[in-house]
Amino acid sequence: MAAARRAKADTLALRRRLLSSSCRLFFPEDPVKIVRAHGQYMYDEQGAEYLDCINNVAHVGHCHPRVVQAAHEQNQVLNTNSRYLHDNIVDYAQRLSETLPEKLCVFYFLNSGSEANDLALRLARQYTGHQDVVVLDHAYHGHLSSLIDISPYKFRSLDGQKEWVHVAPLPDTYRGPYREDHPNPAVAYANEVKRVVSSAQEKGRKIAAFFAESLPSVGGQIIPPAGYFSRVAEHIHGAGGVFVADEIQVGFGRVGKHFWAFQLQGDDFIPDIVTMGKSIGNGHPVACVATTQPVARAFEVTGVEYFNTFGGSPVSCAVGLAVLEVLEKEQLQAHAAHVGSFLMELLRQQKAKHPIIGDVRGVGLFVGVDLIKDEATRTPATEEADYLVSRLKENYILLSTDGPGRNVLKFKPPMCFSLDNARHVVAKLDAILTDMEEKVRSCETLRLQP
């Protein structure tokens, strides 16, 4: 409680002295000091209430009482590593298996999404005997060194692209080479992956895996065209590799129509490896890798054990079970579908009204609003997006931007985000955009008033 009583300026000064400047804050010019949260709301040290539109970690709601209770009750009894036989880890694995296709039946538990993707990379390389990885442009898969190497979002600003990494175009039908007017963008973008694989093979490279977020988030809240993953999987399997679906930001019912975002691609597509993080523990550090028996057996034959001190602990698994229980009892997947559709419709109405909104895309409670300077060129309205997010914060709404141009407003709120919340956010968005159109006449994108 002492930290909550400390003045905001004092906490900020301590942070600047003790933490690296690379550990950045939201709204760095005027950061928000959050001291508590509940459901879809966060509260600062003065008691002001903020509507959280972006926290996909607090998946079923900040400090959900059932999740908090599960952690507390198990902490009072036992918390130790997973080398001891315990019910929670097998109960949790069983419950997760019920949400996935039958062939994804072997589970590894970890602490973070980064650890999960690193393990997926190890599994893929061991199973295939190959080294190379194909990734999508602008992708981000984690902060470990191995994952920075397969994250164009990061490595382009660091050491550059490794020779064993091959980058395919993001399947973006709004900004990419194959757009909404293309007769079959799924095939066209998948053929780009085929081209990348063939080019690598001509150089003597061998493909271990294709990594993709099921819905690319950092890339700009992208919805890949249906059928794209199936076609890509054909090309990757043909090259001897495996398909890794990164569900860290978008799994666990967020897309509404399905429990997993990869299922949007159709019943005929099943990845070889699925990675989970963030929402899996509602803020508790839990992560998971699910894979097939053949991939797991190839990993086992090395004779090297897999061990993670905290992964799969009794408390972590109790928390994970509680999250699944809340999702089911509160019907949050169906809720995401209903509220998300409503939010998308409200945002489309704003698109018709405000020329700065170039595209509204999403599914369930994963929504992006692409802001543009010019309709013909679709130039990202980066400065306007930053200004809009700042103004929303002044109105006690927490939103942020993503995409290569940092111009896409991203909605990934806790799953309890309501219809009233959607109305409130869009009304504020409308008011701010209207004000911008009246006052910020220097912005090319904005309709000038006579």
Side-chain angles (χ1 to χ4, degrees):
M1 294 301 294
R5 290 193 297 269
R6 182 184 293 120
K8 174 179 167 180
D10 293 340
T11 301
L12 186 58
L14 279 170
R15 181 184 175 97
R16 286 172 174 165
R17 179 164 64 85
L18 298 171
L19 275 65
S20 167
S21 61
S22 62
C23 302
R24 296 178 182 172
L25 291 164
F26 285 131
F27 317 107
E29 286 75 27
D30 183 24
V32 183
K33 184 180 180 182
I34 297 296
V35 298
R36 66 184 180 91
H38 180 76
Q40 63 271 51
Y41 301 103
M42 305 180 82
Y43 301 87
D44 69 13
E45 79 283 7
Q46 302 297 326
E49 180 182 86
Y50 292 80
L51 176 59
D52 184 358
C53 298
I54 51 175
N55 202 316
N56 60 338
V57 177
H59 190 60
V60 298
H62 290 280
C63 303
H64 193 288
R66 178 66 195 98
V67 179
V68 172
Q69 179 187 17
H72 176 63
E73 289 179 353
Q74 184 57 54
N75 252 321
Q76 289 183 307
V77 178
L78 173 71
N79 194 23
T80 187
N81 68 56
S82 55
R83 284 182 171 178
Y84 294 98
L85 189 64
H86 197 273
D87 288 338
N88 283 8
I89 192 168
V90 292
D91 289 345
Y92 189 31
Q94 176 64 36
R95 283 286 288 111
L96 281 174
S97 72
E98 294 166 2
T99 71
L100 288 160
E102 186 176 355
K103 81 170 193 175
L104 292 166
C105 59
V106 183
F107 298 87
Y108 302 84
F109 292 102
L110 316 92
N111 307 305
S112 71
S114 289
E115 283 193 9
N117 279 336
D118 179 74
L119 178 58
L121 182 58
R122 290 176 58 197
L123 288 167
R125 285 174 167 166
Q126 181 61 37
Y127 176 69
T128 64
H130 300 167
Q131 173 78 7
D132 290 27
V133 176
V134 179
V135 295
L136 295 175
D137 206 1
H138 309 298
Y140 175 63
H141 293 290
H143 63 80
L144 301 181
S145 295
S146 61
L147 305 176
I148 296 294
D149 286 344
I150 64 170
S151 298
Y153 170 68
K154 292 291 186 182
F155 71 59
R156 294 199 193 285
S157 300
L158 296 169
D159 297 332
Q161 187 172 337
K162 300 291 193 294
E163 63 177 355
W164 52 269
V165 177
H166 312 281
V167 180
L170 189 68
D172 180 355
T173 57
Y174 183 68
R175 293 187 174 280
Y178 310 109
R179 298 188 173 183
E180 65 272 10
D181 57 352
H182 191 280
N184 199 333
V187 171
Y189 278 113
N191 284 340
E192 289 293 325
V193 176
K194 182 180 181 181
R195 179 187 58 77
V196 168
V197 168
S198 297
S199 176
Q201 290 175 323
E202 288 169 4
K203 300 172 185 175
R205 312 298 307 188
K206 294 183 178 180
I207 304 300
F210 175 84
F211 267 75
E213 297 170 271
S214 297
L215 298 175
S217 180
V218 169
Q221 303 291 94
I222 303 301
I223 311 297
Y228 168 70
F229 280 177
S230 295
R231 296 279 185 158
V232 169
E234 290 176 12
H235 302 318
I236 296 299
H237 290 155
V242 298
F243 193 113
V244 180
D246 179 338
E247 291 271 336
I248 290 165
Q249 298 215 53
V250 294
F252 293 88
R254 175 162 295 280
V255 299
K257 296 178 181 179
H258 301 282
F259 198 80
W260 301 104
F262 71 77
Q263 293 171 318
L264 293 166
Q265 290 285 313
D267 294 338
D268 61 335
F269 172 70
I270 301 175
D272 302 290
I273 301 173
V274 174
T275 59
M276 313 166 203
K278 292 187 186 296
S279 55
I280 187 173
N282 210 59
H284 187 86
V286 190
C288 180
V289 175
T291 191
T292 65
Q293 284 285 1
V295 171
R297 282 195 293 267
F299 196 59
E300 292 161 7
V301 297
T302 64
V304 177
E305 68 172 324
Y306 168 73
F307 173 64
N308 188 305
T309 302
F310 302 109
S313 74
V315 169
S316 292
C317 291
V319 166
L321 282 163
V323 170
L324 293 178
E325 177 188 324
V326 172
L327 282 167
E328 182 178 355
K329 287 190 173 181
E330 298 184 8
Q331 300 181 1
L332 291 179
Q333 182 180 327
H335 179 79
H338 180 52
V339 176
S341 295
F342 181 71
L343 174 62
M344 288 273 289
E345 177 54 34
L346 293 181
L347 290 169
R348 290 190 184 106
Q349 293 171 14
Q350 295 303 306
K351 179 180 181 296
K353 182 178 180 181
H354 301 288
I356 192 173
I357 298 178
D359 190 38
V360 175
R361 52 183 176 261
V363 59
L365 287 174
F366 177 91
V367 177
V369 179
D370 197 314
L371 304 184
I372 57 173
K373 290 182 179 292
D374 178 81
E375 186 176 358
T377 63
R378 301 182 179 181
T379 304
T382 305
E383 297 81 6
E384 293 87 340
D386 185 61
Y387 175 78
L388 182 57
V389 165
S390 177
R391 288 285 306 275
L392 285 167
K393 188 204 77 165
E394 294 171 4
N395 284 270
Y396 304 99
I397 294 170
L398 301 178
L399 199 63
S400 63
T401 60
D402 241 328
R406 303 298 300 179
N407 66 301
V408 180
L409 305 179
K410 59 178 181 180
F411 289 85
K412 288 181 290 188
M415 295 277 277
C416 49
F417 192 83
S418 70
L419 295 173
D420 283 344
N421 295 150
R423 291 188 190 94
H424 175 64
V425 171
V426 176
K428 292 293 184 183
L429 186 69
D430 181 23
I432 295 169
L433 287 177
T434 300
D435 184 61
M436 288 169 66
E437 289 168 347
E438 292 174 352
K439 296 179 180 177
V440 190
R441 293 172 179 263
S442 62
C443 297
E444 295 175 38
T445 126
L446 304 175
R447 183 185 295 118
L448 298 179
Q449 301 299 316

